[in-house]
Amino acid sequence: ARPDIVGREFLLLVDARDRIPAWHAFEEAIATGQPRRIELRYQHANGDERRASLMASPIQDRGGAVAVLGVVRDVTDEKR
């Protein structure tokens, strides 16, 4: 539910096995200025393991990428 995730650090919501790859996606987006997409796991509020697609898109300024916008979409049903 929204109140359970608002204000929480994103990586703490990601399964521990996927935290480093998720962090690297953000780092690579900043370093290259190109979007990065990865699949990751997270635990749903009901306890089920779910799959998500993370798109890390760099936000550009005159000097290059200054931040990353991360969009996460649940893809569990698509993977079945």
Side-chain angles (χ1 to χ4, degrees):
R2 184 180 173 130
D4 296 331
I5 62 173
V6 171
R8 292 192 55 201
E9 183 179 338
F10 167 72
L11 286 176
L12 295 179
L13 301 172
V14 174
D15 186 286
R17 297 169 288 182
D18 296 327
R19 287 181 187 154
I20 291 173
W23 181 254
H24 284 257
F26 285 106
E27 287 181 326
E28 290 173 15
I30 287 280
T32 66
Q34 298 296 315
R36 293 289 181 257
R37 181 187 308 269
I38 66 164
E39 188 174 298
L40 52 84
R41 293 164 283 206
Y42 73 97
Q43 186 174 10
H44 190 271
N46 68 10
D48 291 347
E49 182 178 282
R50 308 281 294 181
R51 295 276 181 172
S53 172
L54 164 65
M55 173 62 84
S57 300
I59 297 176
Q60 305 284 339
D61 195 4
R62 285 180 237 138
V66 296
V68 177
L69 171 66
V71 176
V72 178
R73 184 174 67 87
D74 188 298
V75 295
T76 305
D77 292 338
E78 296 171 19
K79 295 295 176 179
R80 291 186 184 159

